[in-house]
Amino acid sequence: MKKIKIIKKHNEYSVEYEIGDIFEPTGTWYGGVHIAGRSGVPVSLDKDEYVEISEEPGHFYFVRHGQTVWNVENKICGATDIALTEHGHQQAIETGKKILEEEIRADEILYSPLIRAADTAKHISEITGIPARVEPRLIEQNFGKWESTPRDGAEFKKAKEYFACSHEGGESTLRLAQRIYNLLDDIKKESGEKTYILVAHNGIARVVQSYFNDMTNEEYAAFGVKNCEVIRYDF
């Protein structure tokens, strides 16, 4: 039998298990399962006290937001709150339809608080029926003084080589990686029972890619995801 996760306690004074605990059942009975509690004491659980969880590695999906005005103008968006173009809204709608057509299943959409990602996520949510909520850690890297400047500017390219240095008025790549890696660690812990769609940014996509794959600095800088591209990652 699969492992089980406690979701409810009939006996609030029990010291043998808590909500969220995971056990491997020692047996079954007509009303549920038997477990060895925290101290090894046999405990019988009713069916509404637990859920079965998968032992298979889980997965999640990453979606970059739709096109923005600054994408068209080749400007660095970063943490600046730039809206989608009409084409960007349509890309998000088409992505929602694609998720339905390809039968991509997820329990929840987590999205960056910036409007370009939020609107993309809301379009997908409305079309698929998957609930969505903001996840502050998914906000794009703050590139400080470089925001609104050309993406391919020589000085900006040089500044990106220094991962431990914060961009003037902004955030370092290492601090960005810390918050995204922490988020992915949290998602991994739930991946046996819950699947997410993350809607965020190109800078976030690079960090996600580096969580799963070794990358040189050059490969990291060159990695990119197209607007509204859907990528699956398996833990």
Side-chain angles (χ1 to χ4, degrees), residues 67-77 82 85 148-152:
Q67 182 195 74
T68 69
V69 175
W70 281 10
N71 290 157
V72 175
E73 297 176 352
N74 196 40
K75 292 180 179 179
I76 299 163
C77 295
I82 305 299
T85 61
S148 82
T149 67
R151 293 175 56 85
D152 52 1

Side-chain angles (χ1 to χ4, degrees), residues 15 38-39 50 57-58 65 71 75 84 97 102 104 116 122 124 133 142 150 158 165 184 226:
V15 296
R38 288 184 171 188
S39 66
Y50 64 89
H65 61 76
N71 290 157
K75 292 180 179 179
L84 298 175
K97 293 178 180 177
E102 296 186 3
I104 293 174
R116 57 191 185 271
K122 289 170 185 175
I124 295 172
R133 65 178 167 91
N142 188 330
K158 188 65 178 177
C165 294
L184 295 177
K226 295 177 182 178

